[in-house]
Every structure is written in structure tokens, then in C-alpha cells.
Amino acid sequence: MNAIKHIALAIFLGLFVIGCGNKEEKKKEGFTYEKKQDEPKEQVEDNMTNLVISGNDQMKFDKTELRVKAGKKVKLTLRHIGKLDKNVMGHNFVLLQKGVDLMAFGIKASSARDTDYIPEDATNDIIAHTKLIGGGETTSIEFDAPEPGEYEFLCSFPGHYALMKGKFIVE
Ligand code: ZN
């Protein structure tokens, strides 16, 4: 009886292994196939870093440091969680090039009211910026993460750079 049981078990295991082997092969083929099909979409998702930062009516960002990996695409979403109008408590997100003095930029930007406090002659100072938004609004931008290093960001609405600023670190 025992011998028969063992033989039966051996056959069963044998079939099981063969079965699994086949399954795995099929799975692998399927996987390769699927991967090929999805490659462009996957690459975009893998390569995108989503950052969300909020500004409020107390003239503050909820984050003073943002981190991304070099070579990534960045999708940055700015949310104004306050209620005040953009003429009173407008917020934007401005990422400065390395070496640009934040305070000097803030002062220059405060007189650029016609262009929502983004100085027209300062495009070389800026890596990326959102538009100016008021309470309850949300806006997003996409840009390529710059070279590894430390950068600074601010809200360029007049006077806000004193409180609304932080470090943008590319690793
Ligand atoms: Zn602001």
C-alpha cells in the first residue's frame, strides 16, 4: 500500500512540477508581452515624481523642503487652502536657479505686478514657476529635475518670500 502511495505521490508531484513549469513559462511569455505593450506608459509613471505643496492665508507653505531624484520629471501641484483672493494673499511657487539670491529676487519680483510677480527679465533666474493663485485654487506644473544640488523656492507675491520659502533638493 505504502509503495503505491509513494508512486502515486511521485507521479502527482511530477505532474505538479511539469504543470508549474508550463505555467511559469506561459506567465513569463505573457509578462514579457505585457511589458512590451505597456512600456511607454510605465516609463512615464516611473519617471514622474509628484510633489504637492500648500499655501494658506497665514502666508505659509506647508513644506520647507522638497526632495526629488535627479533625472526625474517633476509634477508639482500648488494648492491654496486659504480663502483670501489672489490680490490680497496670492501664492505661487517659483524655483530659482542655483546661486540666485532669494531675497534680491523677492524684492525684484514684488514690483512685477503686471506679470503676476514674475519679472520678465528674470527668466534666467527661474527653473520653473506656477501661476499666481488665490484661496481655494490649485495649479500644477511639470518640469525636469535640474542637476543634483540644493535650490531654493519661494512665493514671489510681495513680502511673502520672508516666510514662504524653502529648499528644493535634487539627489
Ligand atoms: Zn504667497
Side-chain angles (χ1 to χ4, degrees):
M1 273 303 265
N2 270 346
I4 291 165
K5 257 191 193 169
H6 279 289
I7 291 162
L9 192 67
I11 291 168
F12 177 73
L13 283 175
L15 287 173
F16 186 69
V17 168
I18 291 162
C20 274
N22 281 343
K23 238 187 211 167
E24 237 162 51
E25 243 175 55
K26 269 182 200 162
K27 215 177 172 185
K28 257 187 197 163
E29 274 167 24
F31 184 66
T32 317
Y33 180 68
E34 271 171 30
K35 209 182 171 192
K36 264 183 195 159
Q37 291 276 306
D38 289 337
E39 215 162 18
K41 196 182 161 198
E42 272 178 15
Q43 271 181 353
V44 167
E45 282 171 4
D46 283 349
N47 207 33
M48 182 75 82
T49 302
N50 282 292
L51 299 174
V52 180
I53 186 165
S54 301
N56 61 18
D57 284 345
Q58 283 72 49
M59 218 169 91
K60 277 195 172 153
F61 281 133
D62 67 336
K63 286 174 187 135
T64 54
E65 191 182 292
L66 297 168
R67 274 175 191 273
V68 297
K69 293 257 189 288
K72 295 269 181 185
K73 274 215 173 288
V74 180
K75 183 179 181 186
L76 183 132
T77 302
L78 171 67
R79 297 171 58 215
H80 192 320
I81 57 170
K83 291 196 168 89
L84 296 172
D85 191 83
K86 80 170 184 179
N87 295 313
V88 185
M89 184 56 70
H91 296 320
N92 62 10
F93 173 94
V94 181
L95 179 60
L96 296 177
Q97 292 280 7
K98 215 183 269 180
V100 174
D101 187 86
L102 186 139
M103 197 182 281
F105 180 87
I107 291 164
K108 186 159 79 169
S110 63
S111 60
R113 195 174 172 205
D114 291 345
T115 50
D116 278 350
Y117 307 108
I118 302 295
E120 271 175 338
D121 62 344
T123 44
N124 288 336
D125 297 342
I126 298 170
I127 294 169
H129 71 88
T130 67
K131 62 177 185 173
L132 191 72
I133 57 171
E137 291 184 295
T138 297
T139 186
S140 290
I141 48 166
E142 286 183 18
F143 57 95
D144 294 319
E147 302 260 289
E150 269 194 28
Y151 301 79
E152 289 188 293
F153 68 82
L154 73 151
C155 168
S156 69
F157 191 90
H160 287 199
Y161 66 88
L163 289 173
M164 301 188 77
K165 61 182 173 183
K167 291 211 181 311
F168 187 92
I169 297 161
V170 183
E171 296 169 321

PDB file of all heavy atoms in Angstrom, residues 26-50:
ATOM      1  N   LYS A  26       4.477  30.107 -19.461  1.00  0.00           N
ATOM      2  CA  LYS A  26       3.394  30.897 -20.068  1.00  0.00           C
ATOM      3  C   LYS A  26       3.331  32.287 -19.437  1.00  0.00           C
ATOM      4  O   LYS A  26       3.176  33.282 -20.097  1.00  0.00           O
ATOM      5  CB  LYS A  26       2.049  30.184 -19.831  1.00  0.00           C
ATOM      6  CG  LYS A  26       1.697  29.230 -20.970  1.00  0.00           C
ATOM      7  CD  LYS A  26       0.359  28.587 -20.711  1.00  0.00           C
ATOM      8  CE  LYS A  26       0.196  27.315 -21.508  1.00  0.00           C
ATOM      9  NZ  LYS A  26      -0.879  26.464 -20.960  1.00  0.00           N
ATOM     10  N   LYS A  27       3.460  32.271 -18.111  1.00  0.00           N
ATOM     11  CA  LYS A  27       3.392  33.522 -17.378  1.00  0.00           C
ATOM     12  C   LYS A  27       4.493  34.480 -17.852  1.00  0.00           C
ATOM     13  O   LYS A  27       4.259  35.656 -18.083  1.00  0.00           O
ATOM     14  CB  LYS A  27       3.574  33.231 -15.891  1.00  0.00           C
ATOM     15  CG  LYS A  27       2.756  34.145 -14.993  1.00  0.00           C
ATOM     16  CD  LYS A  27       2.958  33.720 -13.569  1.00  0.00           C
ATOM     17  CE  LYS A  27       2.351  34.669 -12.582  1.00  0.00           C
ATOM     18  NZ  LYS A  27       2.698  34.260 -11.219  1.00  0.00           N
ATOM     19  N   LYS A  28       5.689  33.882 -17.981  1.00  0.00           N
ATOM     20  CA  LYS A  28       6.831  34.686 -18.405  1.00  0.00           C
ATOM     21  C   LYS A  28       6.574  35.306 -19.779  1.00  0.00           C
ATOM     22  O   LYS A  28       6.794  36.489 -19.980  1.00  0.00           O
ATOM     23  CB  LYS A  28       8.081  33.807 -18.480  1.00  0.00           C
ATOM     24  CG  LYS A  28       9.005  34.022 -17.291  1.00  0.00           C
ATOM     25  CD  LYS A  28      10.292  33.262 -17.494  1.00  0.00           C
ATOM     26  CE  LYS A  28      11.051  33.093 -16.198  1.00  0.00           C
ATOM     27  NZ  LYS A  28      12.065  32.039 -16.330  1.00  0.00           N
ATOM     28  N   GLU A  29       6.101  34.438 -20.674  1.00  0.00           N
ATOM     29  CA  GLU A  29       5.809  34.945 -22.028  1.00  0.00           C
ATOM     30  C   GLU A  29       4.809  36.089 -21.956  1.00  0.00           C
ATOM     31  O   GLU A  29       4.995  37.131 -22.536  1.00  0.00           O
ATOM     32  CB  GLU A  29       5.219  33.832 -22.900  1.00  0.00           C
ATOM     33  CG  GLU A  29       6.284  32.988 -23.577  1.00  0.00           C
ATOM     34  CD  GLU A  29       5.717  31.721 -24.158  1.00  0.00           C
ATOM     35  OE1 GLU A  29       4.507  31.696 -24.450  1.00  0.00           O
ATOM     36  OE2 GLU A  29       6.472  30.755 -24.295  1.00  0.00           O
ATOM     37  N   GLY A  30       3.761  35.821 -21.160  1.00  0.00           N
ATOM     38  CA  GLY A  30       2.698  36.823 -21.017  1.00  0.00           C
ATOM     39  C   GLY A  30       3.264  38.111 -20.459  1.00  0.00           C
ATOM     40  O   GLY A  30       2.964  39.194 -20.928  1.00  0.00           O
ATOM     41  N   PHE A  31       4.118  37.950 -19.472  1.00  0.00           N
ATOM     42  CA  PHE A  31       4.687  39.122 -18.793  1.00  0.00           C
ATOM     43  C   PHE A  31       5.515  39.960 -19.765  1.00  0.00           C
ATOM     44  O   PHE A  31       5.367  41.168 -19.847  1.00  0.00           O
ATOM     45  CB  PHE A  31       5.548  38.640 -17.632  1.00  0.00           C
ATOM     46  CG  PHE A  31       6.103  39.765 -16.817  1.00  0.00           C
ATOM     47  CD1 PHE A  31       5.259  40.577 -16.077  1.00  0.00           C
ATOM     48  CD2 PHE A  31       7.462  40.028 -16.796  1.00  0.00           C
ATOM     49  CE1 PHE A  31       5.761  41.618 -15.326  1.00  0.00           C
ATOM     50  CE2 PHE A  31       7.964  41.064 -16.051  1.00  0.00           C
ATOM     51  CZ  PHE A  31       7.117  41.861 -15.309  1.00  0.00           C
ATOM     52  N   THR A  32       6.365  39.241 -20.529  1.00  0.00           N
ATOM     53  CA  THR A  32       7.216  39.942 -21.493  1.00  0.00           C
ATOM     54  C   THR A  32       6.344  40.700 -22.493  1.00  0.00           C
ATOM     55  O   THR A  32       6.590  41.852 -22.806  1.00  0.00           O
ATOM     56  CB  THR A  32       8.102  38.939 -22.270  1.00  0.00           C
ATOM     57  OG1 THR A  32       8.595  37.995 -21.342  1.00  0.00           O
ATOM     58  CG2 THR A  32       9.261  39.652 -22.922  1.00  0.00           C
ATOM     59  N   TYR A  33       5.321  39.998 -22.918  1.00  0.00           N
ATOM     60  CA  TYR A  33       4.408  40.585 -23.887  1.00  0.00           C
ATOM     61  C   TYR A  33       3.741  41.836 -23.310  1.00  0.00           C
ATOM     62  O   TYR A  33       3.771  42.903 -23.893  1.00  0.00           O
ATOM     63  CB  TYR A  33       3.347  39.538 -24.260  1.00  0.00           C
ATOM     64  CG  TYR A  33       2.337  40.026 -25.260  1.00  0.00           C
ATOM     65  CD1 TYR A  33       2.705  40.304 -26.575  1.00  0.00           C
ATOM     66  CD2 TYR A  33       1.020  40.229 -24.869  1.00  0.00           C
ATOM     67  CE1 TYR A  33       1.783  40.766 -27.482  1.00  0.00           C
ATOM     68  CE2 TYR A  33       0.093  40.683 -25.769  1.00  0.00           C
ATOM     69  CZ  TYR A  33       0.470  40.952 -27.087  1.00  0.00           C
ATOM     70  OH  TYR A  33      -0.451  41.413 -27.969  1.00  0.00           O
ATOM     71  N   GLU A  34       3.215  41.676 -22.096  1.00  0.00           N
ATOM     72  CA  GLU A  34       2.526  42.802 -21.453  1.00  0.00           C
ATOM     73  C   GLU A  34       3.468  43.988 -21.259  1.00  0.00           C
ATOM     74  O   GLU A  34       3.093  45.118 -21.471  1.00  0.00           O
ATOM     75  CB  GLU A  34       2.009  42.372 -20.075  1.00  0.00           C
ATOM     76  CG  GLU A  34       0.615  41.781 -20.137  1.00  0.00           C
ATOM     77  CD  GLU A  34       0.211  41.155 -18.820  1.00  0.00           C
ATOM     78  OE1 GLU A  34       0.680  41.645 -17.777  1.00  0.00           O
ATOM     79  OE2 GLU A  34      -0.544  40.179 -18.850  1.00  0.00           O
ATOM     80  N   LYS A  35       4.672  43.649 -20.835  1.00  0.00           N
ATOM     81  CA  LYS A  35       5.631  44.712 -20.545  1.00  0.00           C
ATOM     82  C   LYS A  35       5.921  45.528 -21.811  1.00  0.00           C
ATOM     83  O   LYS A  35       5.972  46.741 -21.772  1.00  0.00           O
ATOM     84  CB  LYS A  35       6.923  44.108 -20.009  1.00  0.00           C
ATOM     85  CG  LYS A  35       7.637  45.071 -19.071  1.00  0.00           C
ATOM     86  CD  LYS A  35       8.925  44.510 -18.578  1.00  0.00           C
ATOM     87  CE  LYS A  35       9.713  45.568 -17.819  1.00  0.00           C
ATOM     88  NZ  LYS A  35      11.066  45.142 -17.565  1.00  0.00           N
ATOM     89  N   LYS A  36       6.087  44.788 -22.906  1.00  0.00           N
ATOM     90  CA  LYS A  36       6.344  45.471 -24.178  1.00  0.00           C
ATOM     91  C   LYS A  36       5.205  46.432 -24.505  1.00  0.00           C
ATOM     92  O   LYS A  36       5.425  47.553 -24.891  1.00  0.00           O
ATOM     93  CB  LYS A  36       6.490  44.453 -25.305  1.00  0.00           C
ATOM     94  CG  LYS A  36       7.952  44.105 -25.572  1.00  0.00           C
ATOM     95  CD  LYS A  36       8.064  43.149 -26.728  1.00  0.00           C
ATOM     96  CE  LYS A  36       9.433  42.497 -26.780  1.00  0.00           C
ATOM     97  NZ  LYS A  36       9.400  41.257 -27.539  1.00  0.00           N
ATOM     98  N   GLN A  37       4.000  45.913 -24.292  1.00  0.00           N
ATOM     99  CA  GLN A  37       2.811  46.710 -24.612  1.00  0.00           C
ATOM    100  C   GLN A  37       2.738  47.981 -23.752  1.00  0.00           C
ATOM    101  O   GLN A  37       2.393  49.035 -24.227  1.00  0.00           O
ATOM    102  CB  GLN A  37       1.548  45.865 -24.368  1.00  0.00           C
ATOM    103  CG  GLN A  37       1.373  44.731 -25.354  1.00  0.00           C
ATOM    104  CD  GLN A  37       0.712  45.192 -26.631  1.00  0.00           C
ATOM    105  OE1 GLN A  37      -0.358  45.776 -26.591  1.00  0.00           O
ATOM    106  NE2 GLN A  37       1.344  44.966 -27.746  1.00  0.00           N
ATOM    107  N   ASP A  38       3.096  47.813 -22.463  1.00  0.00           N
ATOM    108  CA  ASP A  38       2.882  48.928 -21.530  1.00  0.00           C
ATOM    109  C   ASP A  38       4.092  49.842 -21.360  1.00  0.00           C
ATOM    110  O   ASP A  38       4.042  50.776 -20.597  1.00  0.00           O
ATOM    111  CB  ASP A  38       2.494  48.395 -20.149  1.00  0.00           C
ATOM    112  CG  ASP A  38       1.091  47.816 -20.161  1.00  0.00           C
ATOM    113  OD1 ASP A  38       0.304  48.203 -21.051  1.00  0.00           O
ATOM    114  OD2 ASP A  38       0.793  46.996 -19.298  1.00  0.00           O
ATOM    115  N   GLU A  39       5.163  49.494 -22.046  1.00  0.00           N
ATOM    116  CA  GLU A  39       6.424  50.178 -21.754  1.00  0.00           C
ATOM    117  C   GLU A  39       6.348  51.715 -21.757  1.00  0.00           C
ATOM    118  O   GLU A  39       6.748  52.325 -20.781  1.00  0.00           O
ATOM    119  CB  GLU A  39       7.517  49.717 -22.718  1.00  0.00           C
ATOM    120  CG  GLU A  39       8.853  49.674 -22.021  1.00  0.00           C
ATOM    121  CD  GLU A  39       9.858  48.828 -22.778  1.00  0.00           C
ATOM    122  OE1 GLU A  39       9.637  48.558 -23.972  1.00  0.00           O
ATOM    123  OE2 GLU A  39      10.856  48.457 -22.176  1.00  0.00           O
ATOM    124  N   PRO A  40       5.811  52.334 -22.771  1.00  0.00           N
ATOM    125  CA  PRO A  40       5.824  53.798 -22.772  1.00  0.00           C
ATOM    126  C   PRO A  40       5.101  54.388 -21.556  1.00  0.00           C
ATOM    127  O   PRO A  40       5.627  55.264 -20.891  1.00  0.00           O
ATOM    128  CB  PRO A  40       5.072  54.164 -24.055  1.00  0.00           C
ATOM    129  CG  PRO A  40       5.161  52.947 -24.900  1.00  0.00           C
ATOM    130  CD  PRO A  40       5.194  51.784 -23.958  1.00  0.00           C
ATOM    131  N   LYS A  41       3.948  53.826 -21.222  1.00  0.00           N
ATOM    132  CA  LYS A  41       3.153  54.330 -20.105  1.00  0.00           C
ATOM    133  C   LYS A  41       3.900  54.139 -18.780  1.00  0.00           C
ATOM    134  O   LYS A  41       3.980  55.036 -17.967  1.00  0.00           O
ATOM    135  CB  LYS A  41       1.822  53.569 -20.074  1.00  0.00           C
ATOM    136  CG  LYS A  41       0.760  54.236 -19.221  1.00  0.00           C
ATOM    137  CD  LYS A  41      -0.495  53.385 -19.211  1.00  0.00           C
ATOM    138  CE  LYS A  41      -1.392  53.726 -18.051  1.00  0.00           C
ATOM    139  NZ  LYS A  41      -2.350  52.651 -17.812  1.00  0.00           N
ATOM    140  N   GLU A  42       4.467  52.916 -18.603  1.00  0.00           N
ATOM    141  CA  GLU A  42       5.179  52.621 -17.363  1.00  0.00           C
ATOM    142  C   GLU A  42       6.358  53.564 -17.166  1.00  0.00           C
ATOM    143  O   GLU A  42       6.604  54.027 -16.082  1.00  0.00           O
ATOM    144  CB  GLU A  42       5.702  51.186 -17.375  1.00  0.00           C
ATOM    145  CG  GLU A  42       4.684  50.202 -16.846  1.00  0.00           C
ATOM    146  CD  GLU A  42       5.183  48.776 -16.909  1.00  0.00           C
ATOM    147  OE1 GLU A  42       6.398  48.586 -17.099  1.00  0.00           O
ATOM    148  OE2 GLU A  42       4.357  47.872 -16.790  1.00  0.00           O
ATOM    149  N   GLN A  43       7.056  53.808 -18.258  1.00  0.00           N
ATOM    150  CA  GLN A  43       8.237  54.661 -18.142  1.00  0.00           C
ATOM    151  C   GLN A  43       7.847  56.063 -17.683  1.00  0.00           C
ATOM    152  O   GLN A  43       8.501  56.629 -16.836  1.00  0.00           O
ATOM    153  CB  GLN A  43       8.951  54.755 -19.487  1.00  0.00           C
ATOM    154  CG  GLN A  43       9.971  53.641 -19.640  1.00  0.00           C
ATOM    155  CD  GLN A  43      10.714  53.725 -20.941  1.00  0.00           C
ATOM    156  OE1 GLN A  43      10.378  54.548 -21.802  1.00  0.00           O
ATOM    157  NE2 GLN A  43      11.698  52.893 -21.113  1.00  0.00           N
ATOM    158  N   VAL A  44       6.787  56.562 -18.213  1.00  0.00           N
ATOM    159  CA  VAL A  44       6.336  57.898 -17.831  1.00  0.00           C
ATOM    160  C   VAL A  44       5.988  57.921 -16.346  1.00  0.00           C
ATOM    161  O   VAL A  44       6.427  58.778 -15.609  1.00  0.00           O
ATOM    162  CB  VAL A  44       5.112  58.330 -18.673  1.00  0.00           C
ATOM    163  CG1 VAL A  44       4.455  59.561 -18.068  1.00  0.00           C
ATOM    164  CG2 VAL A  44       5.547  58.639 -20.093  1.00  0.00           C
ATOM    165  N   GLU A  45       5.244  56.884 -15.894  1.00  0.00           N
ATOM    166  CA  GLU A  45       4.834  56.856 -14.495  1.00  0.00           C
ATOM    167  C   GLU A  45       6.029  56.689 -13.571  1.00  0.00           C
ATOM    168  O   GLU A  45       6.123  57.336 -12.547  1.00  0.00           O
ATOM    169  CB  GLU A  45       3.823  55.732 -14.271  1.00  0.00           C
ATOM    170  CG  GLU A  45       2.436  56.133 -14.766  1.00  0.00           C
ATOM    171  CD  GLU A  45       1.473  54.976 -14.758  1.00  0.00           C
ATOM    172  OE1 GLU A  45       1.863  53.885 -14.304  1.00  0.00           O
ATOM    173  OE2 GLU A  45       0.332  55.167 -15.194  1.00  0.00           O
ATOM    174  N   ASP A  46       6.946  55.796 -13.945  1.00  0.00           N
ATOM    175  CA  ASP A  46       8.118  55.548 -13.101  1.00  0.00           C
ATOM    176  C   ASP A  46       9.005  56.773 -13.001  1.00  0.00           C
ATOM    177  O   ASP A  46       9.671  56.992 -12.017  1.00  0.00           O
ATOM    178  CB  ASP A  46       8.951  54.398 -13.685  1.00  0.00           C
ATOM    179  CG  ASP A  46       8.319  53.064 -13.382  1.00  0.00           C
ATOM    180  OD1 ASP A  46       7.391  53.030 -12.570  1.00  0.00           O
ATOM    181  OD2 ASP A  46       8.757  52.084 -13.968  1.00  0.00           O
ATOM    182  N   ASN A  47       9.017  57.530 -14.047  1.00  0.00           N
ATOM    183  CA  ASN A  47       9.957  58.638 -14.126  1.00  0.00           C
ATOM    184  C   ASN A  47       9.385  59.945 -13.583  1.00  0.00           C
ATOM    185  O   ASN A  47      10.046  60.958 -13.566  1.00  0.00           O
ATOM    186  CB  ASN A  47      10.396  58.833 -15.581  1.00  0.00           C
ATOM    187  CG  ASN A  47      11.769  59.442 -15.652  1.00  0.00           C
ATOM    188  OD1 ASN A  47      12.613  59.180 -14.799  1.00  0.00           O
ATOM    189  ND2 ASN A  47      11.991  60.277 -16.642  1.00  0.00           N
ATOM    190  N   MET A  48       8.126  59.900 -13.135  1.00  0.00           N
ATOM    191  CA  MET A  48       7.469  61.132 -12.691  1.00  0.00           C
ATOM    192  C   MET A  48       7.404  61.186 -11.168  1.00  0.00           C
ATOM    193  O   MET A  48       6.954  60.254 -10.541  1.00  0.00           O
ATOM    194  CB  MET A  48       6.050  61.162 -13.279  1.00  0.00           C
ATOM    195  CG  MET A  48       5.268  62.406 -12.933  1.00  0.00           C
ATOM    196  SD  MET A  48       5.790  63.863 -13.849  1.00  0.00           S
ATOM    197  CE  MET A  48       4.915  63.622 -15.391  1.00  0.00           C
ATOM    198  N   THR A  49       7.885  62.266 -10.602  1.00  0.00           N
ATOM    199  CA  THR A  49       7.761  62.468  -9.159  1.00  0.00           C
ATOM    200  C   THR A  49       6.673  63.497  -8.927  1.00  0.00           C
ATOM    201  O   THR A  49       6.721  64.583  -9.484  1.00  0.00           O
ATOM    202  CB  THR A  49       9.089  62.992  -8.569  1.00  0.00           C
ATOM    203  OG1 THR A  49      10.111  62.054  -8.861  1.00  0.00           O
ATOM    204  CG2 THR A  49       8.977  63.159  -7.061  1.00  0.00           C
ATOM    205  N   ASN A  50       5.706  63.117  -8.114  1.00  0.00           N
ATOM    206  CA  ASN A  50       4.616  64.033  -7.796  1.00  0.00           C
ATOM    207  C   ASN A  50       4.893  64.750  -6.480  1.00  0.00           C
ATOM    208  O   ASN A  50       5.103  64.110  -5.463  1.00  0.00           O
ATOM    209  CB  ASN A  50       3.293  63.271  -7.677  1.00  0.00           C
ATOM    210  CG  ASN A  50       2.725  62.952  -9.039  1.00  0.00           C
ATOM    211  OD1 ASN A  50       2.319  63.845  -9.768  1.00  0.00           O
ATOM    212  ND2 ASN A  50       2.730  61.679  -9.390  1.00  0.00           N
TER     213      ASN A  50
END
